[in-house]
Amino acid sequence: MSSSPAIKLRVFSLNCWGIRYLSKLCQERFEMIGDLLMKEKHDVVLLQEVWSEKDYLFLKSKLSKSHLYSHYFKSGVIGSGLCVFSRYRILDTFLYRYSVNGYPHMVYHGDWFGGKSVALAIMNIQEVVFHVYVTHLHAEYCREKDQYLPHRVVQAWELAQFIRHTAKTADVVILGGDLNMHPNDLGNRLLRSYTGLRDSFLETETFEGYNGGATLHPENCFSSKCELQPFPNGIRIDYILYKASVGFVVRCERLMTTKGNAPEKNIPYSDHEALTVTIHVRNTTNEDSYLEDLDPELVNVLNEAQMEVKVGINMAEKHRYSSGRMGVLGLVLFLLEVAIALVSFLTTAAEKSFPKLSFYLLGSLAFAVLLVMGILHVFYTVEVRTLQGTVDQMRLAAQQGGAPASLHHL
Amino acid sequence: MSSSPAIKLRVFSLNCWGIRYLSKLCQERFEMIGDLLMKEKHDVVLLQEVWSEKDYLFLKSKLSKSHLYSHYFKSGVIGSGLCVFSRYRILDTFLYRYSVNGYPHMVYHGDWFGGKSVALAIMNIQEVVFHVYVTHLHAEYCREKDQYLPHRVVQAWELAQFIRHTAKTADVVILGGDLNMHPNDLGNRLLRSYTGLRDSFLETETFEGYNGGATLHPENCFSSKCELQPFPNGIRIDYILYKASVGFVVRCERLMTTKGNAPEKNIPYSDHEALTVTIHVRNTTNEDSYLEDLDPELVNVLNEAQMEVKVGINMAEKHRYSSGRMGVLGLVLFLLEVAIALVSFLTTAAEKSFPKLSFYLLGSLAFAVLLVMGILHVFYTVEVRTLQGTVDQMRLAAQQGGAPASLHHL
């Protein structure tokens, strides 16, 4: 029994693949994205991988009439890549930067340099408080041997924790973004069962897009054919999730994803497909609304997640040990070289007893090894401690039967 | 008009100065702290600078009967140093690591290596939901020329944001810790006016301790005499703050701080004084409770904070420019050296035309400069972006007249 008219909301989410000078046809695609948003006038637009502030400012000026409000979230070396455009006033924002996010020395993977985060924007639409989250988790580069899996599980856990702790007074929670996880991956199950968020793809009344809701598809000319080889029908890694608190009901009327090339163009908007969801939020009497049942699977998922993070701790400890050992070797070699050099410098007789260039090159190498391994050792120490901290938190949650008191508020 | 009996709660907070091998008489002091806590049986104990997990585990085993519940928060290279002991079950925890926290190359200041954070522990005491926060902000090393001021203001801002966003369903909020700020410092005013937290020192009915509530005092034999020279009566930088939400009233009956040496001992517990506060939480009818008035000063404080953070941005941009310039110089010199070395290697005739040792030392130096300046450049870039992000958030808050909708929930 509805007590007030429903609010209809159209939410858009896209990973824009906006790495200037590296992503193909970046400028052209941002113009296409701007045109699309201006024409479609979605209520809320959640963008990821807008790495350059210039591209954000371009969109902001282009959407100055259709979307009066926007926020660009800065974090990390090249930003978080996240931004929100909205037809409704953004009342408040908050950013949480994930505590682990790959490795700085994996320069070719690059995730570490983007300060991967989850961003919150709070809006009040017709007296209903919306907490809108946008995020982008660490990429999966090799599914068979995924060295980043523990990092992604920790990010999924922190995402769930952040939403649970900050959305307690929200009437409606919406999360959009590139989770870099397949629908049934551990992190995804953890996120859904711990927050109670529902997957619009599973809930929608009508769906338009690729079979299975794929958002990375071989038909998209920018997608990595090699990465998608085991998945000829594509994979679904971009999501719009939602939930309502007591007193509200959300109905997902329609989910639409783009399919490769943009209409009347010969290129797609991005290497990911864009999602557009139409939801109806209805105020209900208390009898009509439901109290979220706690997912009975939650404790199992929490235990599984702890196991995975512990694998990550083992790996990080091994890396820390190796880097420490290499650092010590570098130090010993460097000190030895310095000693020999000093002797040769003081006793000129020894001048010709060893080759010069190779000797000094070795010295430089030893010094570089010492420095780099020292930094890596510190880095892995941080990783070990962060992962340990996460396991502690997960253990606490599992002890509570996955039902901390605070969850009941959501 | 009270509708149920008041809850009496004793909360303890201490910066333990627990840097193993560096802090004086560390082990002895932790034993004294353990004895005190076991004897006093405070309801909630908030400790900072418990850098070694061994010290935490020592306290945990010592307090296994008096304080059944505890949590140690891990973060950063040597941890966050934060832990909570409680007589009541800790239902849930969450940790937020500040996005800026000094510089890694300021090794002798060391703050960067501790992952300075704010930790949240949620407890349900007699059906009243307590959100208990403990934190430790970046130290102030030189009040006259405080290069860390923008970092501390950003930390105070993030602390306030974290509390506002996570405490919306709390009945009572308690924050304890070493804020490293004098009572009227900008960050402190920002924190108090943005969250509505009240300072127990200003609210308490009875107070025992040094005049002015000093928690760093020259009489404490571990305190830095040099740092306290301009303040012969000590300074107050450790706090217990609190607030109640609608429907509850908190009365602060007593605040007590230690005064130097522990009873019957010839040393104090730490270089900081410990705080013990006794509060009474009372459930009230709605008419009786008060809605927090928004601090009319908030917009001014927000503007002042923006100015300060902008000073920080200028400073970080200058540092970034200098490190970039030095890095380029290092690169040019290094390439030059490599070129000369190659020429001298290929044409043995040139062998004796320049001195060997100094040449190669210069090469190593150039390489080291290149490497270190490269890393610093990345670091300063992160700092600039983080500070810019903070200014954006502060501007948004000031535009809302300092009263984002979500604040009303607290």
Side-chain angles (χ1 to χ4, degrees):
Chain A
M1 196 185 80
S2 87
S3 58
S4 65
I7 301 171
K8 180 178 167 183
L9 211 69
R10 286 170 70 231
V11 181
F12 177 89
S13 173
L14 173 64
N15 177 327
C16 297
W17 192 39
I19 316 166
R20 281 204 165 200
Y21 314 116
L22 281 177
S23 302
K24 287 176 194 155
L25 302 170
C26 208
Q27 205 174 336
E28 206 167 334
R29 289 189 294 104
F30 270 112
E31 272 171 26
M32 285 163 55
I33 294 169
D35 288 337
L36 174 75
L37 298 177
M38 203 164 60
K39 181 173 150 245
E40 289 288 333
K41 292 191 183 60
H42 308 91
D43 297 287
V44 177
V45 174
L46 307 172
L47 301 182
Q48 306 101 53
E49 287 215 27
V50 184
W51 294 119
S52 164
E53 195 170 357
K54 282 186 192 142
D55 290 326
Y56 163 72
L57 293 172
F58 164 76
L59 288 179
K60 190 177 167 171
S61 96
K62 190 150 191 164
L63 305 177
S64 58
K65 286 189 181 145
S66 59
H67 296 82
L68 277 178
Y69 308 99
S70 67
H71 199 92
Y72 186 62
F73 295 91
K74 289 168 188 145
S75 144
V77 185
I78 50 166
S80 69
L82 306 173
C83 62
V84 175
F85 287 90
S86 166
R87 289 182 50 226
Y88 299 93
R89 184 182 287 277
I90 296 171
L91 296 170
D92 205 354
T93 62
F94 194 32
L95 186 73
Y96 179 90
R97 189 168 164 190
Y98 298 123
S99 58
V100 289
N101 185 34
Y103 304 101
H105 53 283
M106 296 294 203
V107 178
Y108 53 103
H109 283 170
D111 290 65
W112 186 85
F113 291 89
K116 294 281 174 76
S117 309
V118 45
L120 160 63
I122 299 180
M123 297 163 207
N124 189 321
I125 305 175
Q126 296 173 39
E127 298 303 306
V128 178
V129 178
F130 283 79
H131 281 217
V132 179
Y133 298 85
V134 54
T135 192
H136 183 194
L137 303 196
H138 196 292
E140 180 184 76
Y141 293 99
C142 170
R143 194 159 175 83
E144 282 66 44
K145 207 180 158 193
D146 182 10
Q147 60 177 316
Y148 297 114
L149 180 57
H151 283 209
R152 212 173 310 103
V153 171
V154 170
Q155 291 188 344
W157 167 257
E158 291 180 345
L159 171 59
Q161 283 274 67
F162 183 73
I163 293 176
R164 282 180 53 249
H165 282 285
T166 57
K168 286 174 185 169
T169 52
D171 297 323
V172 178
V173 175
I174 295 172
L175 164 64
D178 174 3
L179 300 185
N180 268 314
M181 299 186 289
H182 294 218
N184 280 316
D185 280 3
L186 173 60
N188 224 332
R189 283 181 284 134
L190 182 66
L191 171 67
R192 285 203 311 265
S193 58
Y194 204 38
T195 58
L197 283 166
R198 285 147 183 258
D199 184 346
S200 57
F201 177 74
L202 301 176
E203 306 280 330
T204 185
E205 290 164 9
T206 59
F207 171 72
E208 276 175 55
Y210 287 121
N211 273 346
T215 58
L216 272 191
H217 199 280
E219 269 183 25
N220 183 309
C221 66
F222 295 134
S223 68
S224 155
K225 300 297 167 286
C226 168
E227 196 186 323
L228 287 175
Q229 206 173 15
F231 307 101
N233 296 322
I235 50 178
R236 186 158 75 93
I237 61 170
D238 299 82
Y239 300 81
I240 294 178
L241 308 167
Y242 61 82
K243 78 166 278 171
S245 69
V246 177
F248 291 88
V249 168
V250 178
R251 181 170 68 86
C252 181
E253 181 193 323
R254 187 170 181 233
L255 173 64
M256 205 188 72
T257 64
T258 52
K259 286 175 83 172
N261 290 358
E264 295 166 32
K265 300 271 176 183
N266 50 6
I267 55 165
Y269 295 108
S270 167
D271 61 342
H272 287 240
E273 303 304 328
L275 288 83
T276 307
V277 75
T278 308
I279 57 170
H280 294 260
V281 175
R282 198 160 53 85
N283 205 323
T284 68
T285 59
N286 271 343
E287 305 91 62
D288 194 18
S289 77
Y290 54 88
L291 239 177
E292 207 55 58
D293 284 330
L294 265 174
D295 190 336
E297 271 300 296
L298 179 54
V299 174
N300 293 341
V301 176
L302 280 169
N303 289 334
E304 196 181 334
Q306 280 181 66
M307 292 286 288
E308 194 50 62
V309 179
K310 278 177 188 164
V311 170
I313 295 176
N314 276 340
M315 210 159 68
E317 276 173 343
K318 268 185 205 151
H319 288 156
R320 180 171 62 173
Y321 176 75
S322 308
S323 58
R325 199 176 49 182
M326 282 288 286
V328 169
L329 275 178
L331 178 68
V332 169
L333 191 60
F334 182 68
L335 291 179
L336 204 71
E337 292 254 324
V338 168
I340 297 175
L342 276 180
V343 169
S344 87
F345 188 67
L346 296 175
T347 61
T348 42
E351 182 85 358
K352 282 166 190 169
S353 62
F354 56 84
K356 286 286 165 322
L357 185 67
S358 57
F359 175 79
Y360 285 112
L361 277 181
L362 198 63
S364 303
L365 185 70
F367 181 70
V369 165
L370 169 63
L371 201 67
V372 171
M373 289 301 150
I375 292 170
L376 279 184
H377 190 73
V378 169
F379 187 83
Y380 287 124
T381 306
V382 174
E383 188 186 1
V384 168
R385 294 194 75 87
T386 307
L387 297 184
Q388 282 173 343
T390 306
V391 169
D392 291 348
Q393 280 187 32
M394 286 177 173
R395 194 182 300 121
L396 183 67
Q399 278 166 4
Q400 311 281 336
S406 54
L407 190 64
H408 298 307
H409 288 291
L410 190 65
Chain B
M1 196 182 79
S2 90
S3 57
S4 64
I7 300 171
K8 180 178 168 182
L9 211 71
R10 287 172 68 232
V11 181
F12 178 88
S13 174
L14 173 63
N15 177 327
C16 297
W17 192 41
I19 316 168
R20 281 204 166 199
Y21 315 115
L22 281 178
S23 302
K24 285 176 195 155
L25 302 169
C26 206
Q27 206 174 337
E28 207 168 334
R29 290 189 292 104
F30 269 112
E31 273 170 25
M32 286 164 54
I33 292 169
D35 289 337
L36 174 75
L37 297 179
M38 203 163 62
K39 181 173 150 249
E40 290 287 333
K41 292 189 184 60
H42 308 92
D43 296 287
V44 178
V45 174
L46 308 172
L47 301 182
Q48 306 99 53
E49 287 216 27
V50 184
W51 295 118
S52 163
E53 194 170 358
K54 283 187 191 139
D55 291 326
Y56 163 73
L57 292 172
F58 164 78
L59 288 178
K60 189 177 167 169
S61 96
K62 191 151 191 165
L63 305 178
S64 58
K65 284 187 184 146
S66 60
H67 295 82
L68 278 178
Y69 308 99
S70 67
H71 199 94
Y72 187 61
F73 294 90
K74 289 168 187 144
S75 141
V77 186
I78 51 167
S80 70
L82 306 173
C83 62
V84 175
F85 287 90
S86 166
R87 289 181 52 227
Y88 299 93
R89 184 184 286 279
I90 296 171
L91 296 171
D92 205 355
T93 61
F94 194 32
L95 186 74
Y96 179 91
R97 191 169 164 189
Y98 298 123
S99 56
V100 289
N101 184 35
Y103 305 100
H105 53 282
M106 295 296 203
V107 178
Y108 53 103
H109 282 168
D111 290 65
W112 186 84
F113 292 90
K116 294 285 175 71
S117 309
V118 45
L120 160 64
I122 300 180
M123 296 164 208
N124 188 321
I125 304 175
Q126 295 172 40
E127 300 302 305
V128 177
V129 178
F130 283 80
H131 281 216
V132 178
Y133 298 84
V134 53
T135 194
H136 182 194
L137 302 197
H138 197 291
E140 180 184 78
Y141 293 97
C142 171
R143 195 162 173 81
E144 282 66 46
K145 206 182 160 190
D146 182 10
Q147 58 177 319
Y148 298 113
L149 180 56
H151 282 209
R152 214 173 310 101
V153 171
V154 171
Q155 291 187 345
W157 167 256
E158 291 181 345
L159 172 59
Q161 282 275 66
F162 183 73
I163 293 175
R164 283 180 53 247
H165 282 285
T166 58
K168 286 174 185 170
T169 53
D171 296 324
V172 177
V173 175
I174 295 172
L175 164 65
D178 174 4
L179 300 186
N180 268 315
M181 299 185 289
H182 294 217
N184 281 316
D185 281 2
L186 173 60
N188 225 332
R189 283 182 282 134
L190 182 65
L191 171 68
R192 285 203 312 267
S193 60
Y194 204 38
T195 59
L197 283 166
R198 285 147 183 260
D199 185 347
S200 58
F201 177 75
L202 301 176
E203 305 282 329
T204 185
E205 289 164 11
T206 60
F207 171 73
E208 276 175 56
Y210 287 121
N211 273 345
T215 57
L216 272 190
H217 198 280
E219 268 182 26
N220 182 310
C221 65
F222 296 134
S223 67
S224 155
K225 301 294 167 288
C226 167
E227 195 188 324
L228 287 174
Q229 207 172 13
F231 307 101
N233 297 320
I235 51 179
R236 185 160 75 94
I237 61 170
D238 299 82
Y239 299 83
I240 295 178
L241 308 167
Y242 62 82
K243 77 166 279 170
S245 69
V246 176
F248 291 87
V249 167
V250 177
R251 180 169 68 84
C252 181
E253 181 193 324
R254 188 173 179 229
L255 172 66
M256 206 187 72
T257 64
T258 53
K259 286 176 82 172
N261 290 358
E264 295 165 33
K265 300 272 176 183
N266 50 7
I267 54 165
Y269 297 106
S270 167
D271 62 343
H272 287 241
E273 302 303 329
L275 287 83
T276 308
V277 74
T278 308
I279 57 171
H280 295 258
V281 176
R282 199 161 51 86
N283 203 324
T284 67
T285 58
N286 271 342
E287 304 89 65
D288 196 18
S289 77
Y290 53 90
L291 239 177
E292 207 55 58
D293 285 329
L294 265 175
D295 190 335
E297 271 300 296
L298 180 53
V299 174
N300 293 341
V301 176
L302 279 170
N303 289 334
E304 197 181 334
Q306 280 182 65
M307 291 287 288
E308 195 49 64
V309 180
K310 279 178 188 162
V311 170
I313 294 176
N314 276 340
M315 210 158 66
E317 276 174 342
K318 268 185 204 150
H319 287 156
R320 179 170 65 172
Y321 176 74
S322 308
S323 58
R325 199 176 49 182
M326 283 289 284
V328 169
L329 275 178
L331 178 68
V332 169
L333 191 59
F334 182 68
L335 291 178
L336 204 69
E337 292 254 323
V338 168
I340 296 175
L342 275 179
V343 168
S344 86
F345 189 68
L346 296 173
T347 60
T348 41
E351 183 84 358
K352 282 165 192 170
S353 63
F354 56 84
K356 286 287 161 331
L357 185 69
S358 56
F359 175 78
Y360 286 112
L361 278 182
L362 198 63
S364 304
L365 185 71
F367 181 70
V369 165
L370 169 62
L371 202 66
V372 170
M373 288 302 151
I375 293 169
L376 279 184
H377 190 73
V378 169
F379 187 83
Y380 287 123
T381 305
V382 174
E383 188 185 1
V384 168
R385 294 194 75 86
T386 308
L387 298 183
Q388 283 173 342
T390 307
V391 169
D392 291 347
Q393 280 187 31
M394 287 176 172
R395 193 182 301 122
L396 183 66
Q399 278 166 3
Q400 312 280 336
S406 55
L407 190 66
H408 296 306
H409 289 291
L410 189 69

